[in-house]
Amino acid sequence: MAEWSLDCKGCKKPITHSSINLAEKHMPYDSLWPSRPEVPEDGVIVRCPNCQQSASYHRHELTYRAD
C-alpha cells in the first residue's frame, strides 16, 4: 500500500506517517500528485521506532512511497 513517510533525522531510516487509501471515492486521487496530509503549522513531534529519537517534522518533509 502506498504511504506517506518521513526520514528519521537521526538514523535516516523511513518512518511511516500514514497510509494512502487509493480506493477512497469521496476524495479525488491523482497518483502523479497526491495531496499530503495536514500537519500542524508548527510541526509534529515523531519518535523513530528504530533509533527512538524524537524530532519535529513539517508537512513539506512528508515523502510519498509507493507499494
Side-chain angles (χ1 to χ4, degrees):
M1 177 178 272
E3 64 186 26
W4 288 107
S5 66
L6 299 160
D7 290 329
C8 176
K9 294 180 179 178
C11 67
K12 309 297 185 213
K13 294 196 177 191
I15 304 168
T16 299
H17 176 269
S18 57
S19 296
I20 299 172
N21 184 355
L22 305 179
E24 286 185 15
K25 300 295 182 196
H26 71 277
M27 179 182 259
Y29 175 76
D30 181 353
S31 61
L32 299 176
W33 196 257
S35 297
R36 287 183 173 105
E38 294 297 322
V39 173
E41 194 170 311
D42 58 341
V44 63
I45 303 292
V46 177
R47 180 181 212 118
C48 176
N50 184 56
C51 71
Q52 305 304 314
Q53 180 176 331
S54 295
S56 178
Y57 296 91
H58 294 86
R59 189 174 187 227
H60 69 273
E61 295 175 285
L62 288 165
T63 304
Y64 174 81
R65 293 194 193 273
D67 308 297

